[in-house]
Amino acid sequence: MDSARGWVVVGIDNGGTSNNATILDASGRFLVDRLVEMPSRVTEGPEVAIDAMAGALENVLDLTGVAPEAVRGVGLDTPGPASADGVISSKGATNFSEPEWRGFDVRGALEARLGLPVVYNNDANAAALYAHHIRYGDKAGAHSSISAIVGTGLGGGVVESGRVIKGAAGMAGELGHVQIPMHGLLAEGQPVPVCNCGFVGDAESVASLTGIMRNLLPYWLTRFENHELSRVGDIGAAAKKVRGLGERGDPLAVAIFEQQAIAIGRLFTIAANFIDPDTYFLGGGVVETTPRFRQWFLGKVREHTDLREEQTRVATFALVPDLDMAGARGAAIAAFGQLQAPVRARTSL
Ligand SMILES: [Zn+2]
């Protein structure tokens, strides 16, 4: 092993059921090309979950034969909401429902457990960083991008000059809660959608699984009488079937996805005027569909993103790649970026 490859960073993507780990070496190469998963045990509280993260690190080191002494630091990402430095929201978080998690410093706890520096990002920010770096490689520092990640909620990330914009309280890139114009998006008689955060008409109230369940599906079922989804007793279960129906061209599902594409397009229009990024990335469940459906959806998003002519010439629209590995890899890239700078240079600032 030459000296340039003498150290590594480990990326750990912490989720509701599993931790996914990866290793990035000093030359910028990932040492695993697949998911390396271990149970995350987050429902058993912080102490057990921190041990599980340490276990995920040991497991990926064993698997690759990398010596523990070679690890310079760890990149960690978790679902939010959390502070920029990895303190879980004091109001609680969907993934961290036990009371001990409220206000828990997950980054600090893992750092103390491992005796290694830990760099924290929320999961959407980590995925955004990965998408950006895969697209731009060693030119990452010269470009900007925005990523919208559609899942249960609508997460996202903004990358400028190769770095995630975190904001003062860690809440930059909370794209889901940006309010968007509803005029021309809603159909006749359709109620203004409401978000879990309390806002009306924000991007997540339309472009998320929660938005389908709470807002879009209840309305569209009134427009398609005797639709098969009206016979699914539970609205949550029905909402999860919309994606599959959309892939098969079901008109109700297509109407829902068109509204979601318009919502994301309007969100990207705000982004165009606010940060004017090089690339607009789309990720999440909607991307984990048939190639034909996701290209149709991405095309719709692009159609509803209102760019100036100068922007149209330089902007690109793309899908977040390797979505299941994007969190761990993005977390590792973030740690790599912070830990490769000589310590003296960082502390002298
Ligand atoms: Zn909201």
Side-chain angles (χ1 to χ4, degrees):
M1 196 178 264
D2 61 43
S3 60
R5 293 192 176 175
W7 59 273
V8 303
V9 293
V10 173
I12 299 175
D13 173 43
N14 169 263
T17 54
S18 47
N19 289 316
N20 175 22
T22 194
I23 301 185
L24 181 60
D25 75 9
S27 72
R29 190 170 58 103
F30 287 103
L31 302 188
V32 287
D33 60 0
R34 61 183 178 85
L35 280 179
V36 180
E37 287 188 308
M38 297 274 281
S40 67
R41 305 180 69 180
V42 288
T43 56
E44 294 170 59
E47 202 173 320
V48 173
I50 295 294
D51 268 349
M53 291 176 205
L57 178 141
E58 282 165 25
N59 179 53
V60 78
L61 292 178
D62 279 354
L63 202 78
T64 50
V66 172
E69 307 80 64
V71 181
R72 184 176 283 193
V74 172
L76 170 69
D77 77 281
T78 75
S83 74
D85 211 17
V87 178
I88 304 298
S89 169
S90 58
K91 288 168 77 178
T94 307
N95 261 65
F96 302 102
S97 51
E98 283 62 35
E100 308 98 282
W101 282 113
R102 293 188 185 172
F104 185 80
D105 177 3
V106 60
R107 189 205 65 80
L110 185 61
E111 190 165 273
R113 172 71 173 72
L114 298 174
L116 287 167
V118 174
V119 175
Y120 178 84
N121 278 280
N122 74 44
D123 54 0
N125 279 351
L129 192 61
Y130 177 65
H132 184 91
H133 279 260
I134 287 301
R135 181 160 194 90
Y136 292 111
D138 58 7
K139 307 263 190 324
H143 294 278
S144 60
S145 64
I146 184 165
S147 295
I149 298 172
V150 186
T152 308
L154 174 58
V158 177
V159 177
E160 173 60 43
S161 303
R163 287 179 175 267
V164 170
I165 296 181
K166 292 195 169 188
M171 289 168 191
E174 286 290 343
L175 307 182
H177 309 296
V178 174
Q179 287 169 305
I180 55 172
M182 286 289 135
H183 179 76
L185 185 158
L186 297 177
E188 201 183 327
Q190 185 173 7
V192 178
V194 180
C195 182
N196 280 339
C197 74
F199 283 173
V200 292
D202 66 14
E204 180 171 305
S205 71
V206 177
S208 66
L209 180 63
T210 309
I212 294 178
M213 187 177 78
R214 286 189 61 173
N215 302 309
L216 305 189
L217 186 56
Y219 167 77
W220 284 102
L221 283 174
T222 69
R223 294 287 299 270
F224 288 84
E225 283 185 24
N226 298 319
H227 190 276
E228 63 179 273
L229 290 182
S230 63
R231 292 189 291 279
V232 178
D234 174 52
I235 189 77
K240 286 183 181 158
K241 291 179 185 286
V242 172
R243 190 167 85 196
L245 288 171
E247 288 172 338
R248 297 201 291 278
D250 176 81
L252 174 144
V254 169
I256 284 174
F257 280 111
E258 286 215 47
Q259 289 194 315
Q260 294 201 320
I262 296 171
I264 296 167
R266 289 183 176 190
L267 177 68
F268 282 169
T269 303
I270 292 170
N273 288 294
F274 217 90
I275 53 168
D276 187 20
D278 293 279
T279 298
Y280 298 80
F281 285 109
L282 184 64
V286 80
V287 170
E288 294 159 10
T289 53
T290 59
R292 188 168 154 225
F293 184 79
R294 62 185 180 228
Q295 287 306 327
W296 169 80
F297 191 80
L298 186 65
K300 282 279 168 193
V301 168
R302 185 197 299 239
E303 181 187 323
H304 290 283
T305 304
D306 200 357
L307 301 181
R308 294 165 199 276
E309 197 193 321
E310 295 88 336
Q311 293 175 312
T312 304
R313 284 199 288 270
V314 295
T316 51
F317 288 73
L319 303 170
V320 175
D322 310 319
L323 201 69
D324 53 356
M325 292 189 290
R329 288 185 161 191
I333 288 167
F336 185 92
Q338 280 197 30
L339 299 172
Q340 71 175 345
V343 172
R344 196 191 302 166
R346 287 195 293 137
T347 53
S348 66
L349 292 173

